[in-house]
Amino acid sequence: MEEVARRAAAAEGLDVTVIGSGRARQGDPYRFIHAGCINREVFEKFPKIPYARDHYAWEELSFAPALIRRYAPRHFDVTVTCGYPYSNWILRRGRKGARRPAHVFITQNGDWMVRSDNWEFKHFGCDGLICTNPEFYERHKERYPCALIPNGVDVARFTSPPDYRPGSGDRASFSLPHNIPMILVVAALIPSKRVVEAIRCTAGIRDVCLVVAGDGEQRQEVDSLGKQLMGDRFKRLFLGREQMPELYRCANVLLHMSQDEPFGNIYIEALASGIPVVAHDRPVTRWIVEDQANLVDTADFEAVVRALQVAIEDSSPQRASARRQLARRRFSWEAVASQYCTFFHEIHRLTTPNALPAAGPSA
């Protein structure tokens, strides 16, 4: 959302406001309004109830009161979120009487709220739907005005030197071993990401280290199992995003065991970095990585091990360059944000009587 907002704010004909729980940063081109929340970690042991079935939903619920206070519908032509239920509901309020901005929803976290028909999801609605993969687009294109727009990557930030070989980054800065191949897992430590399975799968591969970058409710289980099965060959890191490009460059291969990923930003970050990817074979993943990854059934640990061994050997500068070219061609934030801006203008035109094509909506 920040990457799109940053580029949309620089686009002609868009005036952009971001309402979020962080703080304004000097140099960001959009207007920022702070709305506080309680961090999701506080809610990890909270009960799972309708409309709050995980700690992410509890966090969003804690954000809702501040969003209500800060958000004035009359100031905007288009609103955008990927949060359901509370952000979606609040941004769509004001249906009766006063003017309501058009609402665009992004399937960043899946499309379950769009397609579920039970009572818990009956209040979902939007004026335009941005689908982050072709499966979502095919499901919903007849019901809503839709655009198929992938996520993006800051290619310049993740790129590597022309002669780069996977695994040759600055491992010393992370206190990582430098003399054995490194398998990298970047994921939230939650069951659906299958990080525990990644540890069990890689533990039997001799002379490799496994680095897990992430945090979440399974942190204790992941740390304990990693040390038990791999000892000093296992390390978990929790880094700021500014450190991630160098960590990718330290890796020989990215492993992702999740079997139901709505998009997978990590795939395109790895591609932009030039490192091989081993992931679950499904149509969405094939659409993202084209022929630049090793896709297998990640329930088959032997197949995963074979793919990892092939990927570790796939270390030529030419192959790394091909991965970077794919990321640059399809997933640069400049290209992705341009598609977002076009869709915002189109939804504004469709929902505003007598709107002029050249009108400059606010979002």
Side-chain angles (χ1 to χ4, degrees), residues 50-85:
Y51 299 114
R53 294 195 177 276
D54 55 30
H55 52 297
Y56 300 102
W58 280 108
E59 180 185 54
E60 189 186 352
L61 176 58
S62 78
F63 176 67
L67 178 60
I68 290 173
R69 291 193 298 271
R70 301 291 187 269
Y71 168 57
R74 66 183 181 278
H75 293 164
F76 304 101
D77 300 297
V78 179
T79 62
V80 189
T81 189
C82 60
Y84 184 84

Side-chain angles (χ1 to χ4, degrees), residues 6 8 94 131 150 228 259 263 287 346 354 357:
R6 189 172 293 118
C131 299
Q228 175 189 337
Q259 297 180 345
F263 185 85
W287 175 73
E346 178 64 12
N354 304 316

Side-chain angles (χ1 to χ4, degrees), residues 7 25 30 34 86 132 145 191 196 202 213 265 275 284:
R7 289 159 178 82
R25 289 190 294 264
Y30 49 75
H34 172 75
Y86 305 107
T132 54
V196 168
T202 57
N265 282 18
I275 71 171
V284 168

Side-chain angles (χ1 to χ4, degrees), residues 45-360:
K45 297 187 183 301
F46 269 51
K48 301 180 187 299
I49 61 174
Y51 299 114
R53 294 195 177 276
D54 55 30
H55 52 297
Y56 300 102
W58 280 108
E59 180 185 54
E60 189 186 352
L61 176 58
S62 78
F63 176 67
L67 178 60
I68 290 173
R69 291 193 298 271
R70 301 291 187 269
Y71 168 57
R74 66 183 181 278
H75 293 164
F76 304 101
D77 300 297
V78 179
T79 62
V80 189
T81 189
C82 60
Y84 184 84
Y86 305 107
S87 297
N88 174 257
W89 291 349
I90 293 167
L91 295 176
R92 292 174 56 241
R93 70 188 176 96
R95 284 180 175 274
K96 296 180 181 179
R99 170 185 169 276
R100 178 181 68 85
H103 181 63
V104 172
F105 190 83
I106 307 170
T107 61
Q108 175 65 40
N109 299 314
D111 71 336
W112 46 271
M113 68 292 289
V114 186
R115 59 189 170 97
S116 296
D117 57 4
N118 63 36
W119 64 271
E120 191 169 344
F121 307 104
K122 67 180 181 180
H123 300 296
F124 174 84
C126 65
D127 300 293
L129 189 68
I130 292 179
C131 299
T132 54
N133 69 53
E135 286 186 355
F136 294 170
Y137 181 77
E138 290 300 321
R139 282 179 193 154
H140 307 299
K141 65 181 181 180
E142 303 299 330
R143 185 177 178 188
Y144 297 105
C146 286
L148 172 58
I149 307 177
N151 288 344
V153 63
D154 188 335
V155 176
R157 192 160 64 93
F158 281 89
T159 198
S160 48
D163 59 349
Y164 165 78
R165 289 180 177 272
S168 61
D170 180 16
R171 294 192 186 183
S173 62
F174 302 104
S175 300
L176 299 174
H178 65 276
N179 56 346
I180 56 175
M182 170 182 150
I183 298 170
L184 175 64
V185 171
V186 180
L189 306 187
I190 57 177
S192 65
K193 303 300 183 181
R194 305 182 71 236
V195 178
V196 168
E197 287 81 356
I199 296 171
R200 295 189 184 280
C201 185
T202 57
I205 306 176
R206 296 181 58 188
D207 301 324
V208 301
C209 65
L210 175 65
V211 176
V212 173
D215 193 25
E217 61 192 66
Q218 287 188 302
R219 64 181 71 84
Q220 291 183 346
E221 181 181 5
V222 166
D223 290 346
S224 176
L225 186 65
K227 292 300 182 184
Q228 175 189 337
L229 297 183
M230 302 189 71
D232 292 340
R233 294 189 297 127
F234 171 84
K235 186 164 188 175
R236 183 170 72 86
L237 302 170
F238 186 50
L239 305 175
R241 64 179 182 176
E242 70 281 354
Q243 296 174 282
M244 289 305 297
E246 188 58 43
L247 182 63
Y248 275 103
R249 287 189 282 268
C250 291
N252 293 84
V253 57
L254 174 78
L255 172 63
H256 195 56
M257 297 285 282
S258 174
Q259 297 180 345
D260 185 20
E261 196 70 39
F263 185 85
N265 282 18
I266 56 171
Y267 300 145
I268 57 178
E269 290 173 353
L271 290 171
S273 302
I275 71 171
V277 174
V278 172
H280 188 65
D281 188 7
R282 57 189 298 258
V284 168
T285 312
R286 289 197 296 270
W287 175 73
I288 296 170
V289 300
E290 296 183 359
D291 60 349
Q292 296 298 326
N294 303 270
L295 304 182
V296 297
D297 179 0
T298 55
D300 183 345
F301 282 12
E302 292 184 359
V304 174
V305 169
R306 289 193 298 269
L308 287 170
Q309 291 169 334
V310 170
I312 288 171
E313 297 299 321
D314 187 12
S315 61
S316 72
Q318 294 77 16
R319 293 286 291 156
S321 177
R323 298 179 195 111
R324 292 196 301 267
Q325 289 173 16
L326 171 58
R328 188 177 299 111
R329 172 168 55 85
R330 288 187 55 197
F331 302 113
S332 73
W333 273 124
E334 288 72 21
V336 170
S338 176
Q339 296 174 68
Y340 268 80
C341 294
T342 298
F343 191 63
F344 294 157
H345 280 288
E346 178 64 12
I347 294 302
H348 178 247
R349 184 188 66 79
L350 290 174
T351 57
T352 306
N354 304 316
L356 298 175

